[in-house]
Structure formats: structure tokens, C-alpha cells
Amino acid sequence: MREYETIYVLKPDLPGDQVKTIQEKLKDIITKGGGHILHHVDWGKRRLAYRVEKFTQAQYLYLQYLDQGASVAELERILKYDDRVLKFLTVKVDEKVNQAERLARAGEAPLPPEEVFHEEPVYDRPPRDRYGDRRHHEGGHGHGRDASPADEPAIEGIEE
């Protein structure tokens, strides 16, 4: 067995019964494929880092499960073609998991959303000019307009 995590993002204006329908559909896919659900948590509505379609907020859901890998493709296919799903991402957490041991630890709480989401973005890079070029900023790479020929390395065999 392998352990997987899938985070999927739904449109924020979905009624609760449609969210439950999507959750049940995904659970059915995994259990019919011989997998086991460890956690399926609704993280609630959160602000998106960037606009997706016309939305600035979305409903986040977290799914942690054990599977052989066959159900993952079907799960992603369902998420890909469902218009209510804005984004999704599946990650293989562990390649070889002792199923009995992991199911015994299934009661452990997954990461709370407060540890996953940071409300204020952190910018640790210098700003870019309107063309996305950083070479004129301090510490940038490349030879911009303000670089002198003396700064360029000499080429072997050519004298200046």
C-alpha cells in the first residue's frame, strides 16, 4: 500500500449538499478500489493566492488515504472533469506503508489548516520591473545597460 494526500479546491458558492456529494463520490472511488480513507477534512473557505476563473476565495478539502495506486488515476480524472472543482493536487506521501500499522494510527489528527495557510504572503525576492527583468536591481544577474565591459570575463586567446 501507498499513502496519498489530495487537496482539492471547490467553487466557494457551492451548497453544502453538493460538497457532500463530491466527498462521497471520492470516498466510493477509493474504497471500491481497495483503498482506505484515513482523513477527509473540510478546511473551509479560504482566500486564493491568485484569481482562479472569477473567484478570489474557494473551499478547500483535504483527503488522506491508502491505496495501491489504481484509484488515484480515476480520482484525478473525476476531479479534472468536474466543473465544481477549481484545482486539485495529489501527492504520494509514502511508497511502502504497513497497512495495519498505518490504520492503527489513523486517529492521529492531520495538519490543521492554520499550519498550512498563511494569510499574508511573504515576499523575499526583489521586485521586478514591468518586463520581469531583475538585472538592474542590486544583486541581479546578467549584464544590463549599467554593466561595463571591464566587468565581463576575458575570453582566452583574444587580447583586448
Side-chain angles (χ1 to χ4, degrees):
M1 282 284 193
R2 298 178 188 116
E3 184 174 344
Y4 294 94
E5 289 180 341
T6 299
I7 296 176
Y8 55 103
V9 181
L10 304 176
K11 291 181 178 180
D13 54 358
L14 282 180
D17 60 333
Q18 287 190 21
V19 173
K20 290 286 182 197
T21 303
I22 294 170
Q23 286 179 313
E24 291 303 319
K25 185 184 242 182
L26 299 180
K27 284 182 182 180
D28 287 345
I29 291 169
I30 293 168
T31 53
K32 285 179 183 174
H36 301 279
I37 303 287
L38 299 174
H39 297 100
H40 203 164
V41 182
D42 185 348
W43 280 346
K45 288 184 185 173
R46 301 276 174 179
R47 187 177 54 167
L48 293 166
Y50 55 90
R51 187 180 302 264
V52 177
E53 292 179 15
K54 63 177 182 173
F55 301 105
T56 57
Q57 288 189 340
Q59 181 142 356
Y60 285 76
L61 289 102
Y62 171 79
L63 176 61
Q64 186 178 21
Y65 53 100
L66 298 177
D67 192 70
Q68 291 293 340
S71 301
V72 177
E74 177 65 14
L75 184 112
E76 288 185 339
R77 186 186 70 78
I78 295 293
L79 291 171
K80 181 178 180 180
Y81 293 115
D82 193 332
D83 291 337
R84 302 170 291 186
V85 177
L86 296 174
K87 298 271 183 190
F88 67 91
L89 178 67
T90 300
V91 177
K92 186 185 331 177
V93 177
D94 198 355
E95 180 70 35
K96 295 181 181 178
V97 177
N98 183 334
Q99 182 178 346
E101 220 176 80
R102 185 60 183 104
L103 288 173
R105 292 185 296 124
E108 296 174 2
L111 282 177
E114 295 79 33
E115 290 185 28
V116 177
F117 295 100
H118 304 286
E119 292 302 320
E120 293 297 323
V122 178
Y123 296 106
D124 59 349
R125 295 182 289 180
R128 296 180 180 203
D129 67 10
R130 71 179 204 190
Y131 299 107
D133 188 9
R134 285 195 237 166
R135 33 177 202 200
H136 301 294
H137 296 286
E138 190 175 16
H141 300 287
H143 302 291
R145 285 174 251 146
D146 50 349
S148 67
D151 294 339
E152 295 183 17
I155 299 174
E156 274 187 49
I158 300 177
E159 293 183 28
E160 292 185 24

